[in-house]
Amino acid sequence: MITIVGAGRVGTAAAAYIALKELDDILLIDIIPNKAAGEALDLAHAASILGLSIDIRGTENYEEMAGSDLVVVTAGVPRKPGMTREELVGVNAKIVVDVAEKIKKYTPDAIVLMTTNPLDPMLYLMYKKLGFPRERVIGFSGVLDSGRLRYYAAKKLGISPADINPVVIGQHGRSMFPVPRLTTIYGKPLTELLSKEEIEEVVKETIAAGATITKLRGYSSNYAPGAGLSLMVEAIKKDLKRIFLASVYLMGEYGYSDITASVPVLLGKSGVEKIYELPLNEEEKQLFAKSIEAIKANIAGIPKELL
Ligand code: APR
């Protein structure tokens, strides 16, 4: 059973995509009484209409998650127009601590996929609170940021996004690091296919993508995170050994320790089964370092009494 904590916009979108893939039964949990049950019932009807063989339930009782092998955490406050993800640290840190206690109690062997923003510091906090091996505490965001890079690059190139292998590493926020030289189309780097100005535009659009959506429609994105989460859940559930960009707790990789950041990882049934170090050149190493500095500052913003 897959548990999704937080039956809001991201949680329910993730549930819909996971249901379409029939990956496993789904339990939605939300702190607001009846909310998860209502959302789950609507999704269960959709599954019935589509003839999907899965069960979808919702509850406010965390005990019901016992036995779940995968917990997707989408509980937390999303940003409003004009807000940065970093501004959510204080309020969401408390929610993460609360959810971590429940996960430890009811699903001590589960793999945990974090979505709550600001992602990297919230993943750091979750990792510290859970005390699980880092392989089982994974941050969602790299799939989203790289998916967005792929979208904007594809538009410029006039090709399908599917044929672009996009790379975005570091922070999920304004200091994320899209890497055009390592973003390739059958071995050809983006830097050889687009002009400097075009690449700058693509990078800017990628970094601003979440804020753009929030500004346009008044609330933050959910379909793209839901779609990305379903891919990661699928890779874990089916032991696909797929390589995704995801935030993990670094222990010396890229020369960094005691920090969470997005890097390429291999996902399989044990969670993160391998972390890859990209061949960054000197300039890219410096840009990555800047992104890491931003995450460090975000982590420093977590209220001390919660860590
Ligand atoms: N336990 C369970 N659910 C909780 C808890 C908690 N302790 N605290 C809050 N929630 C629930 C809220 O009741 C709400 O239904 O989390 C849900 C969040 O849903 P939305 O407000 O729709 O937010 P959403 O857009 O889904 O974003 C959730 O993911 O991408 C990030 O920045 C985003 O941090 C935000 C999170």
Side-chain angles (χ1 to χ4, degrees), residues 221-278:
S221 76
N222 63 318
Y223 299 115
L229 279 165
S230 78
L231 285 190
M232 292 177 77
V233 168
E234 182 178 37
I236 293 166
K237 276 286 178 184
K238 294 187 180 167
D239 195 23
L240 293 182
K241 316 283 187 204
R242 284 204 63 187
I243 300 169
F244 287 119
L245 292 145
S247 194
V248 280
Y249 183 78
L250 298 180
M251 292 169 146
E253 291 86 4
Y254 294 83
Y256 299 106
S257 291
D258 194 32
I259 189 145
T260 44
S262 247
V263 292
V265 304
L266 183 87
L267 281 191
K269 65 176 185 315
S270 317
V272 171
E273 298 185 355
K274 196 170 175 180
I275 296 175
Y276 297 93
E277 294 201 34
L278 291 164

Side-chain angles (χ1 to χ4, degrees), residues 1-7 11-12 15 19 24-30 34-45 47 54-68:
M1 179 176 74
I2 299 160
T3 296
I4 300 178
V5 182
T12 50
D24 203 348
D25 291 340
I26 299 170
L27 177 71
L28 284 172
I29 299 182
D30 203 282
N34 298 322
K35 176 167 174 138
E39 295 288 355
L41 192 57
D42 195 13
L43 284 161
H45 294 165
I54 49 150
D55 182 42
I56 308 173
R57 290 182 301 121
T59 182
E60 49 274 8
N61 299 320
Y62 273 95
E63 304 92 82
E64 292 184 38
M65 73 194 277
S68 194

Side-chain angles (χ1 to χ4, degrees), residues 5-12 29-32 35 62 73-79 85 88 92 94-96 98-99 102 115-118 122 140 144 172 217 219-222 225:
V5 182
R9 288 197 173 102
V10 174
T12 50
I29 299 182
D30 203 282
I31 202 162
I32 301 173
K35 176 167 174 138
Y62 273 95
V73 180
T74 72
V77 176
R79 59 181 166 156
R85 295 183 182 93
L88 301 168
N92 280 349
K94 286 197 196 81
I95 294 174
V96 168
D98 176 44
V99 174
K102 306 293 195 312
T115 317
T116 309
N117 273 315
M122 292 303 98
F140 172 78
L144 179 63
H172 179 53
R217 68 179 196 179
Y219 52 90
S220 61
S221 76
N222 63 318

